[in-house]
Amino acid sequence: MSFRKVVRQSKFRHVFGQPVKNDQCYEDIRVSRVTWDSTFCAVNPKFLAVIVEASGGGAFLVLPLSKTGRIDKAYPTVCGHTGPVLDIDWCPHNDEVIASGSEDCTVMVWQIPENGLASPLTEPVVVLEGHTKRVGIVTWHPTARNVLLSAGCDNVVLIWNVGTAEELYRLDGLHPDLIYNVSWNHNGSLFCSACKDKGVRIIDPRRGTLVAERERAHEGARPMRAIFLADGKVFTTGFSRMSERQLALWDPNLEEPMALQELDSSNGALLPFYDPDTSVVYVCGKGDSSIRYFEITDEPPYIHFLNTFTSKEPQRGMGSMPKRGLEVSKCEIARFYKLHERKCEPIVMTVPRKSDLFQDDLYPDTAGPEAALEAEEWVSGRDANPILISLREAYVPSKQRDLKVSRRNVLSDSRPAVAPSSARLGASTSAVATHTTAPSGGLAGAGEAGKLEEVMQELRALRALVKEQGERIGRLEEQLGRVENGDA
């Protein structure tokens, strides 16, 4: 009788992390020392934002992704808060809009100039005042335009319409203690929260009701986090009674954990980052020097350990790039921005592949920058999944390949896959639709007939070239067959 070890098949088993070279890091950034368990970092395909030390108030740095190297101490910051900034979050529907929550009890929403800051930004687009204690959590709605959630140390969750600066919902009786984190579900109809009373809750914000609750999800007294997965399950990180760090997976009614794993006995809070396209969860511990990653599947044991990225320096915070900002030509499935004490270091997660073609199994259609709903539609009770885009247009062939192939992507530059939404706050759907579709509509116009004919000629030439190469390959295979059979 033979015993054979069966290895679980997964395309992410060999994912590896690699820090970028020193000249591609962001040096001399004085990362905030405030004692709060947020990520201190937010990133999108255009900008990197980091909460920094500031005298006499709160500030965060906003850098264009290309501005690597040493950052001058005099580089302008976003500095309108009168107390330390605790959390920041980029708007998923506009890459130039960012929200911040602060110890000064306010939430501010900022419009970043297209090319970055040339002078300190002190005037926000809107100030949202409603909390009575410091605001530690801000997070945008995943599908509705201009809807922002904030949570403060007053144990109150507020949901705002940023376009009108009005408070939509006030949820003030659902959390008896400090809220550690909040996470929207896939379509933004519910959110889950982790609280200092050791409870995890699923809440319907429009009805103001508790959908499900789990008391003592993790027995330990240290901070815990809860995030929604794409299928409605909830993933939590926390501590056991013996202060060992734990991961758990819960079904949508939060009755019993589907899986519970103990990691180690370090004392830093575990920050989970979830990729719904690959069902991979990356877990970063504050003060750790490693990133562990796990694949979530539908079969037991549900949470499958993949690998660990380790480095020498501990992390003060971490930011995660949205999928549409990754380099798909390099099979990059995640990119993290690790905060050290004085710098920010990008870490690239890659699936090793021999082919340099677009890998459609790694890159299913992903959430794009277009909002699926207006704020008023969401308030009226409508729900919608994120509007998906293909990353194939963002694919750029490697330098070794024929440069003519990349010209096919030039016509796609106006699509949401590669161009961030230029909608300003409060912009109407029709205005955004006009912006994103105008270039492709203009191509069909009479004035652009020449350009269209040029593209068609190039397409015909490419087809002829492909046909010619196919015939040549056929002839070569025929000759090779004769050589192998000894006929030649």
Side-chain angles (χ1 to χ4, degrees):
M1 186 175 178
S2 64
F3 291 93
R4 207 157 44 90
K5 187 177 180 182
V6 178
V7 178
R8 191 182 70 87
Q9 289 298 309
S10 169
K11 58 188 139 192
F12 305 112
R13 225 177 63 209
H14 302 292
V15 170
F16 66 96
Q18 197 166 19
V20 301
K21 293 176 182 171
N22 277 339
D23 60 350
Q24 293 175 284
C25 294
Y26 305 84
E27 302 275 355
D28 218 13
I29 296 173
R30 293 175 298 158
V31 178
S32 174
R33 295 175 177 276
V34 68
T35 52
W36 184 252
D37 281 321
S38 83
T39 58
F40 289 169
C41 178
V43 64
N44 70 18
K46 286 185 79 170
F47 295 111
L48 166 71
V50 180
I51 302 174
V52 292
E53 284 285 285
S55 52
F60 58 96
L61 202 58
V62 174
L63 302 169
L65 288 186
S66 57
K67 187 165 177 59
T68 53
R70 185 179 171 276
I71 308 301
D72 196 297
K73 284 181 181 173
Y75 194 86
T77 58
V78 181
C79 50
H81 284 287
T82 56
V85 178
L86 300 179
D87 197 20
I88 49 178
D89 193 32
W90 286 106
C91 176
H93 309 126
N94 188 334
D95 286 342
E96 294 165 11
V97 170
I98 188 169
S100 57
S102 165
E103 279 193 12
D104 64 12
C105 308
T106 65
V107 176
M108 293 184 180
V109 180
W110 310 84
Q111 180 85 47
I112 306 298
E114 188 177 352
N115 298 316
L117 297 178
S119 58
L121 186 59
T122 56
E123 289 300 317
V125 176
V126 63
V127 180
L128 304 172
E129 296 177 302
H131 289 283
T132 56
K133 292 187 179 177
R134 60 183 185 164
V135 182
I137 297 165
V138 288
T139 178
W140 292 90
H141 192 283
T143 60
R145 191 190 317 281
N146 296 344
V147 175
L148 178 69
L149 180 151
S150 65
C153 295
D154 49 7
N155 310 335
V156 173
V157 175
L158 295 178
I159 295 174
W160 309 87
N161 181 345
V162 174
T164 59
E166 63 178 323
E167 183 184 299
L168 297 176
Y169 302 103
R170 172 177 286 264
L171 309 171
D172 57 0
L174 299 173
H175 296 93
D177 212 330
L178 179 69
I179 303 165
Y180 284 135
N181 91 300
V182 171
S183 169
W184 291 99
N185 69 349
H186 190 57
N187 66 0
S189 58
L190 305 169
F191 67 81
C192 68
S193 65
C195 182
K196 195 174 181 180
D197 69 349
K198 303 178 187 176
V200 172
R201 295 169 176 83
I202 295 177
I203 293 166
D204 183 332
R206 288 170 294 195
R207 292 201 177 101
T209 57
L210 212 56
V211 176
E213 181 178 9
R214 172 71 186 192
E215 296 177 358
R216 305 184 76 82
H218 294 275
E219 297 279 352
R222 294 178 187 272
M224 51 190 275
R225 317 275 290 193
I227 56 171
F228 256 118
L229 304 186
D231 58 1
K233 296 188 184 80
V234 175
F235 181 89
T236 61
T237 64
F239 291 81
S240 71
R241 193 178 296 160
M242 304 300 291
S243 290
E244 290 183 312
R245 297 198 291 192
Q246 294 178 321
L247 312 173
L249 184 68
W250 309 80
D251 59 19
N253 55 21
L254 300 180
E255 286 179 355
E256 285 299 321
M258 297 169 64
L260 181 66
Q261 290 187 14
E262 292 194 346
L263 287 186
D264 54 33
S265 52
S266 297
N267 57 9
L270 290 168
L271 308 175
F273 295 89
Y274 172 61
D275 178 5
D277 301 333
T278 59
S279 295
V280 175
V281 174
Y282 302 84
V283 178
C284 315
K286 272 213 159 183
D288 289 9
S289 53
S290 64
I291 302 172
R292 295 178 176 91
Y293 34 108
F294 303 82
E295 188 176 2
I296 310 296
T297 64
D298 292 330
E299 65 271 358
Y302 304 110
I303 302 174
H304 303 273
F305 174 73
L306 291 172
N307 211 334
T308 304
F309 164 79
T310 53
S311 57
K312 293 177 183 174
E313 297 290 324
Q315 54 229 16
R316 298 279 302 279
M318 193 73 76
S320 174
M321 174 67 80
K323 211 59 177 287
R324 59 194 173 88
L326 303 180
E327 289 194 51
V328 296
S329 56
K330 295 182 179 175
C331 294
E332 182 183 352
I333 62 162
R335 190 189 312 154
F336 293 98
Y337 286 74
K338 173 182 172 178
L339 298 185
H340 299 243
E341 199 166 324
R342 301 281 295 190
K343 77 170 182 178
C344 175
E345 176 186 40
I347 294 165
V348 175
M349 296 288 179
T350 307
V351 177
R353 289 281 168 98
K354 290 180 179 176
S355 169
D356 60 354
L357 298 174
F358 178 75
Q359 307 290 317
D360 48 11
D361 63 322
L362 298 182
Y363 301 106
D365 288 357
T366 191
E370 198 55 63
L373 295 170
E374 294 299 319
E376 295 75 18
E377 293 176 303
W378 182 74
V379 170
S380 71
R382 280 189 59 193
D383 290 319
N385 288 328
I387 295 175
L388 303 181
I389 57 170
S390 168
L391 293 178
R392 190 179 288 272
E393 281 82 4
Y395 170 72
V396 180
S398 57
K399 289 180 182 175
Q400 295 90 334
R401 297 174 68 85
D402 192 340
L403 285 174
K404 284 189 177 179
V405 178
S406 66
R407 286 191 61 179
R408 292 159 70 184
N409 295 331
V410 174
L411 297 177
S412 307
D413 282 351
S414 63
R415 297 188 188 176
V418 290
S421 168
S422 69
R424 294 293 180 260
L425 292 172
S428 67
T429 316
S430 58
V432 180
T434 305
H435 170 78
T436 53
T437 58
S440 55
L443 185 65
E448 298 294 332
K451 190 185 288 186
L452 181 61
E453 181 57 33
E454 186 185 326
V455 171
M456 293 303 293
Q457 281 178 0
E458 187 175 338
L459 191 59
R460 284 193 287 271
L462 282 170
R463 280 180 177 157
L465 183 64
V466 168
K467 185 179 178 185
E468 184 187 325
Q469 293 294 338
E471 290 170 355
R472 181 167 174 263
I473 288 168
R475 288 196 300 273
L476 288 170
E477 285 177 340
E478 194 178 319
Q479 286 177 19
L480 182 64
R482 287 205 299 272
V483 169
E484 287 176 343
N485 295 331
D487 296 342

